[in-house]
Amino acid sequence: MPGSTDGLSVCGPLPAGRNKRLLTVEGHFFAHSRLEMFQVLKQDGQSKARLGRLTLSHGVVDTPAFMPVGTAATVKAMPHDYLESLDSQIILANTYHLYLRPGDERIARLGGLHKFMSWTRCIVTDSGGYQIFSQRDLISVSQEGARFKSHLDGSRHFFTPEKSMMVQQRLGADIMTVLDECIPYPSTHFEAAKSLELTLHWAERCKRSYSTQMSGRQALFGIVQGSVYPDLRQHAVERLQEIDFAGYAIGGLSVGEPKELMYEVTAQCGELLPEGFPRYLMGVGTPPDLLECVALGVDMFDCVLPTRNARNGYLFTSRGRLSIKNACYAEDVRPIDERCLCQVCRRFSRSYLRHLYMAGEIVSSVYNTLHNLHFYLDLMAKIRESIASQNFLEFKRNFLGEYCSEDETVRSRDISSI
Amino acid sequence: MPGSTDGLSVCGPLPAGRNKRLLTVEGHFFAHSRLEMFQVLKQDGQSKARLGRLTLSHGVVDTPAFMPVGTAATVKAMPHDYLESLDSQIILANTYHLYLRPGDERIARLGGLHKFMSWTRCIVTDSGGYQIFSQRDLISVSQEGARFKSHLDGSRHFFTPEKSMMVQQRLGADIMTVLDECIPYPSTHFEAAKSLELTLHWAERCKRSYSTQMSGRQALFGIVQGSVYPDLRQHAVERLQEIDFAGYAIGGLSVGEPKELMYEVTAQCGELLPEGFPRYLMGVGTPPDLLECVALGVDMFDCVLPTRNARNGYLFTSRGRLSIKNACYAEDVRPIDERCLCQVCRRFSRSYLRHLYMAGEIVSSVYNTLHNLHFYLDLMAKIRESIASQNFLEFKRNFLGEYCSEDETVRSRDISSI
């Protein structure tokens, strides 16, 4: 397994000319060098959970990490300085959205995404595939690429793996991801296998395009597909490792499959993926999902749940989710969560927040998003602390014991704005 | 003229039992006592501009002051801490809106408006008259009061002067205003005179209701009406002074009349109103309006222009107003205003702000509002500095020389959310 060791292992984008075998042999050589990208600092003794550190072009990301979704070069309803006050070290931006508006070439002319949006911390971009394959926009798929029409003006576009790489290079995020085909749940084994072959073919082309084009400032992650079929997921992991990426995303989940299947696939990928590389579970999930999947070895998450829920008046608390529009909060002077230390909970009552929501005030979205992102990022910080102090499973048990899980049927990744 | 002196003059709500003549005689007695509400600290030598200080229940307001409009217990798109960072000492809240939602009785049960919205600084409430008389909601007007229907659910309501006082008392703002009839421009002299008699009758009832009900924590302002007719305005000023208020608002302007008439009426009121009392010009205006009307002796302003313009992409700069949606800003890396020190101008480019506006992002409204309110509040601070250093007219001339005035046809006070 490349770069894998038994506790402290590291990996980075391969310097030109190095191959996988060389890294395997020399893994420890990179362990404390400036080239290292991912370090596992501590492995939980009772689960696959691990404390890690990603060192990217724009800074360090402590893992396990939650990445707020910043679709169109901003996290929705969240001014940058609020996000910074929450210690958000990395956000996700959507290649598809930025390609269409304001355009990747424009962003490149303006100095890249970081400079354009004046965000100095880390950014990951998805490949655009997820949005393209959201069906509404898709026209056709071939070995070559995917044809789709813009949700903004109906104009037609053609995305190839090379095109996705070029667009992401222009954006200049710290982490790029390969173009993958996203299929719905359920899909037959035949459909999933056929789609996976295309995805792996595209992954190879992305890597080739990346190797010949990239400066090295941007890390490239592969994406494991294969629906809910273990043999396909295994094949994907093996093939992607052969192609060799700086990290591995687990895609194709949170698309309507039962929760148990999502956990099963994640568990399998957590077992198969190399220890020394970051694992990124895409589009997941609820607070319990984060805990479960950290236990399965996941290092990075992105999800629209905290931000989209906020705009719809759903607020996360240590006891579960509450809907601020409920009449029972009309004269409730308590904060959203009495244990929460965010600036919203320190200042505002449920009654006031309900009023703002009912009145359709813009600040309702701002305050709700601030609270929800605080909840998510604070949860991740506590998870990291618990791994560091070797009581992760106890923390997880206590958290889940209090948290009233609801059926989070909200589709996780951001297609709402398409 | 009650409480009027030649430089340093003060006045406050009359202690029970005192009458106007007593205050006239004893004006200086209050000059440095704890009962004073308004102090003129410096009178400009070349205009009616004056530097003042209002001491209200929730703090001091330096005048001339601009009061951001916080219609529904929040300034639209502006989190409280941003507003505080701009040193906004006082905001205006709309009685009509709060009466309908969440309801004045509810706010009273929750401890009053300050506590409800967690705003510790000063608040002024209007009487509700302006919104009621915006025509769309009005059903009928009688000597007794005004009948209107709710824009929210069509329910019918009846506002009397006493009702407006009771609602405003429940809200508990630092400054309340009398219920007045607002008539459109143009109106005939006959219509305006008839309406003014009703307004003055209501003002008397408001004062009577106030005197018998109020604890003294809330100051009550009269409102001068009379359309654009000098004799009516003069009659209004005289009669309101007889009734005796803690301050005087100039209403019925910025309703579509030519700018020159607005300045003429303001000038007349500035001449007629007593020196020792704060003068509040309602619903005005553009940056040049503020300068002109300060020169005419106005101490307080409220206007939705900076906040509503912000949400529509119109941004104020030292050289005039710009529309951020214009294509020319698509790759403009400059800040909104190169001389502006607000946090938006220190961080973001026009290109990014244009993108956020075009993408319909919530933070577009937040950033734009932050900039515009900074522009307005910074202008007021500079006006105060210039009066203090006796170069107000020079400052005014320089500002207007640079500022490209546009035809601000936007109706100033907030009826958009009705």
Side-chain angles (χ1 to χ4, degrees):
Chain A
M1 218 171 271
S4 156
T5 74
D6 51 0
L8 182 68
S9 52
V10 294
C11 181
L14 280 178
R18 289 193 184 273
N19 62 28
K20 185 169 62 87
R21 211 150 46 87
L22 193 60
L23 183 68
T24 308
V25 174
E26 295 188 1
H28 283 284
F29 171 77
F30 288 100
H32 297 99
S33 81
R34 293 181 55 207
L35 287 173
E36 72 193 32
M37 191 192 86
F38 184 62
Q39 261 186 296
V40 174
L41 302 174
K42 195 150 201 172
Q43 175 65 55
D44 183 46
Q46 300 169 290
S47 74
K48 296 271 295 173
R50 70 251 188 103
L51 191 70
R53 179 181 291 149
L54 266 169
T55 304
L56 303 172
S57 296
H58 289 82
V60 161
V61 177
D62 297 309
T63 65
F66 179 79
M67 309 186 287
V69 177
T71 299
T74 179
V75 173
K76 287 191 191 302
M78 195 68 336
H80 283 9
D81 59 320
Y82 279 5
L83 204 50
E84 287 159 353
S85 76
L86 297 178
D87 286 333
S88 182
Q89 298 171 312
I90 181 167
I91 61 173
L92 175 136
N94 290 120
T95 294
Y96 169 89
H97 291 276
L98 295 172
Y99 161 77
L100 291 178
R101 184 174 59 194
D104 51 307
E105 295 184 63
R106 170 162 291 163
I107 289 176
R109 282 194 298 273
L110 292 166
L113 185 55
H114 284 89
K115 191 166 179 198
F116 172 64
M117 65 185 286
S118 189
W119 177 256
T120 58
R121 302 186 184 182
C122 300
I123 304 175
V124 54
T125 42
D126 61 6
S127 67
Y130 183 84
Q131 277 78 21
I132 293 170
F133 290 102
S134 68
Q135 310 297 334
R136 269 178 294 175
D137 304 324
L138 188 65
I139 297 170
S140 65
V141 192
S142 67
Q143 191 78 354
E144 182 57 17
R147 199 170 298 280
F148 63 97
K149 59 179 202 296
S150 161
H151 71 284
L152 296 175
D153 61 7
S155 57
R156 283 160 174 259
H157 301 267
F158 188 54
F159 248 48
T160 62
E162 294 77 15
K163 175 77 176 273
S164 174
M165 287 294 99
M166 189 170 66
V167 172
Q168 289 186 73
Q169 189 185 8
R170 286 183 183 137
L171 298 177
D174 300 78
I175 297 175
M176 306 189 300
T177 44
V178 298
L179 186 67
D180 58 339
E181 188 183 29
C182 303
I183 56 172
Y185 176 87
S187 292
T188 65
H189 188 278
F190 178 78
E191 289 164 341
K194 189 161 160 259
S195 168
L196 179 58
E197 280 317 302
L198 184 66
T199 283
L200 294 173
H201 169 65
W202 285 359
E204 212 171 339
R205 281 166 56 190
C206 282
K207 178 65 192 294
R208 203 180 311 130
S209 169
Y210 167 82
S211 300
T212 56
Q213 287 180 27
M214 296 296 136
S215 66
R217 288 187 312 103
Q218 298 179 267
L220 179 62
F221 278 29
I223 302 179
V224 180
Q225 289 285 353
S227 188
V228 295
Y229 302 105
D231 61 319
L232 299 182
R233 289 281 176 178
Q234 180 165 359
H235 173 59
V237 169
E238 287 167 0
R239 182 72 195 107
L240 289 172
Q241 281 187 256
E242 283 169 15
I243 302 172
D244 188 32
F245 291 97
Y248 296 91
I250 304 166
L253 294 179
S254 204
V255 292
E257 76 284 357
K259 192 76 99 182
E260 296 67 34
L261 273 178
M262 188 268 273
Y263 290 152
E264 273 175 35
V265 173
T266 303
Q268 189 202 2
C269 293
E271 287 294 335
L272 293 174
L273 284 168
E275 295 281 329
F277 292 73
R279 304 173 191 133
Y280 162 26
L281 181 54
M282 304 180 96
V284 174
T286 65
D289 288 345
L290 301 183
L291 283 159
E292 297 297 352
C293 296
V294 162
L296 300 173
V298 172
D299 306 298
M300 303 159 72
F301 301 87
D302 81 281
C303 189
V304 297
L305 219 46
T307 42
R308 185 186 296 161
N309 266 357
R311 301 195 301 282
N312 293 320
Y314 295 109
L315 302 174
F316 291 97
T317 82
S318 50
R319 311 187 81 106
R321 211 181 65 172
L322 66 80
S323 173
I324 198 65
K325 59 181 159 282
N326 281 348
C328 63
Y329 302 125
E331 298 193 8
D332 189 335
V333 295
R334 291 173 298 172
I336 301 167
D337 187 343
E338 275 163 329
R339 290 197 224 146
C340 180
L341 297 173
C342 84
Q343 58 168 298
V344 177
C345 285
R346 277 182 287 156
R347 183 159 193 172
F348 300 121
S349 66
R350 294 175 180 180
S351 61
Y352 182 58
L353 294 169
R354 176 179 189 269
H355 163 68
L356 294 178
Y357 182 84
M358 300 305 281
E361 287 289 342
I362 287 172
V363 293
S364 167
S365 292
V366 175
Y367 294 147
N368 291 352
T369 301
L370 181 56
H371 169 80
N372 276 358
L373 281 181
H374 178 276
F375 186 87
Y376 265 62
L377 294 168
D378 184 56
L379 173 59
M380 299 313 290
K382 286 174 178 158
I383 287 174
R384 291 194 299 271
E385 283 164 27
S386 72
I387 300 172
S389 56
Q390 288 290 6
N391 67 341
F392 168 68
L393 286 188
E394 188 191 336
F395 170 77
K396 175 170 174 281
R397 200 163 41 242
N398 290 343
F399 181 95
L400 295 177
E402 289 223 331
Y403 192 87
C404 299
S405 203
E406 285 163 291
D407 182 28
E408 298 278 12
T409 51
V410 184
R411 181 61 185 83
S412 315
R413 285 175 66 201
D414 205 345
I415 54 167
S416 71
S417 49
I418 296 187
Chain B
M1 219 171 268
S4 158
T5 74
D6 51 1
L8 182 68
S9 52
V10 294
C11 182
L14 280 179
R18 287 191 186 274
N19 63 28
K20 186 169 61 85
R21 210 150 47 86
L22 193 61
L23 182 68
T24 309
V25 174
E26 295 187 1
H28 282 284
F29 172 77
F30 288 101
H32 296 97
S33 82
R34 292 182 57 206
L35 287 173
E36 72 194 31
M37 192 193 87
F38 184 61
Q39 261 186 296
V40 175
L41 302 174
K42 195 151 202 171
Q43 175 66 54
D44 183 46
Q46 300 169 291
S47 74
K48 296 270 296 173
R50 71 248 189 105
L51 190 70
R53 180 180 291 149
L54 266 170
T55 304
L56 304 171
S57 296
H58 290 82
V60 161
V61 177
D62 297 309
T63 64
F66 179 79
M67 309 186 286
V69 176
T71 299
T74 179
V75 173
K76 286 191 189 302
M78 195 67 339
H80 283 9
D81 57 320
Y82 280 5
L83 204 51
E84 287 160 352
S85 75
L86 297 178
D87 286 333
S88 182
Q89 297 172 312
I90 182 167
I91 60 175
L92 175 137
N94 290 121
T95 294
Y96 170 89
H97 290 277
L98 295 172
Y99 161 75
L100 290 178
R101 183 174 60 194
D104 52 307
E105 294 184 63
R106 171 162 290 162
I107 288 176
R109 281 194 298 272
L110 292 165
L113 186 54
H114 283 88
K115 192 167 179 197
F116 173 63
M117 66 186 283
S118 189
W119 176 256
T120 57
R121 302 185 185 183
C122 300
I123 303 175
V124 54
T125 41
D126 61 5
S127 67
Y130 182 83
Q131 278 78 20
I132 293 170
F133 290 102
S134 68
Q135 311 297 335
R136 269 179 295 177
D137 304 324
L138 188 64
I139 296 170
S140 64
V141 192
S142 67
Q143 191 80 351
E144 181 57 18
R147 197 170 300 280
F148 62 97
K149 60 178 202 295
S150 160
H151 70 285
L152 296 175
D153 61 6
S155 57
R156 284 160 173 258
H157 301 268
F158 188 55
F159 247 48
T160 61
E162 293 77 17
K163 176 77 176 272
S164 174
M165 287 294 99
M166 189 171 64
V167 172
Q168 289 185 73
Q169 187 185 9
R170 285 181 183 139
L171 298 177
D174 300 77
I175 297 174
M176 308 190 299
T177 44
V178 298
L179 186 67
D180 57 340
E181 189 184 28
C182 302
I183 56 171
Y185 176 86
S187 291
T188 64
H189 187 280
F190 178 79
E191 289 163 343
K194 188 162 159 259
S195 169
L196 178 60
E197 279 317 302
L198 185 65
T199 283
L200 293 174
H201 168 65
W202 285 359
E204 210 172 340
R205 281 166 55 190
C206 280
K207 178 66 194 295
R208 203 179 312 130
S209 169
Y210 167 83
S211 301
T212 54
Q213 286 180 28
M214 296 296 135
S215 65
R217 288 186 314 103
Q218 299 179 266
L220 179 61
F221 278 30
I223 303 180
V224 180
Q225 290 285 352
S227 189
V228 296
Y229 303 103
D231 61 321
L232 299 182
R233 289 281 175 179
Q234 179 165 359
H235 173 58
V237 169
E238 286 167 1
R239 181 74 194 106
L240 288 172
Q241 281 187 257
E242 281 169 17
I243 302 172
D244 187 32
F245 291 98
Y248 296 92
I250 305 166
L253 294 178
S254 203
V255 291
E257 75 284 357
K259 192 75 95 182
E260 296 67 34
L261 273 178
M262 189 267 275
Y263 290 152
E264 272 175 36
V265 173
T266 303
Q268 189 203 1
C269 292
E271 288 294 336
L272 294 174
L273 283 168
E275 294 282 328
F277 292 72
R279 304 174 190 133
Y280 161 26
L281 181 54
M282 304 181 97
V284 173
T286 65
D289 289 345
L290 301 183
L291 282 158
E292 297 297 352
C293 296
V294 163
L296 301 173
V298 172
D299 306 298
M300 302 160 72
F301 300 87
D302 80 283
C303 189
V304 297
L305 220 47
T307 42
R308 184 187 296 162
N309 266 358
R311 301 196 300 282
N312 293 320
Y314 295 108
L315 303 174
F316 291 96
T317 81
S318 50
R319 311 187 80 107
R321 211 181 63 172
L322 67 79
S323 173
I324 198 66
K325 59 181 159 282
N326 283 347
C328 64
Y329 302 125
E331 298 193 8
D332 190 334
V333 295
R334 290 173 297 172
I336 301 167
D337 186 343
E338 275 164 328
R339 291 197 222 145
C340 179
L341 296 174
C342 84
Q343 59 168 296
V344 177
C345 285
R346 277 182 285 157
R347 182 158 195 173
F348 300 120
S349 65
R350 294 176 181 181
S351 62
Y352 182 59
L353 294 170
R354 176 179 188 269
H355 163 70
L356 294 178
Y357 182 83
M358 301 305 281
E361 287 289 344
I362 287 172
V363 293
S364 167
S365 292
V366 176
Y367 293 146
N368 290 352
T369 302
L370 182 56
H371 169 80
N372 276 358
L373 281 181
H374 178 276
F375 186 86
Y376 265 62
L377 294 168
D378 184 57
L379 172 60
M380 299 313 291
K382 286 172 178 158
I383 287 173
R384 290 193 299 270
E385 281 164 28
S386 71
I387 300 172
S389 55
Q390 288 290 5
N391 68 341
F392 168 67
L393 285 188
E394 188 191 336
F395 170 77
K396 175 170 174 280
R397 200 164 40 242
N398 290 342
F399 181 95
L400 294 177
E402 288 222 331
Y403 192 87
C404 299
S405 202
E406 286 163 291
D407 181 27
E408 299 277 11
T409 52
V410 183
R411 182 60 185 83
S412 316
R413 285 175 67 201
D414 207 343
I415 56 166
S416 72
S417 51
I418 295 186

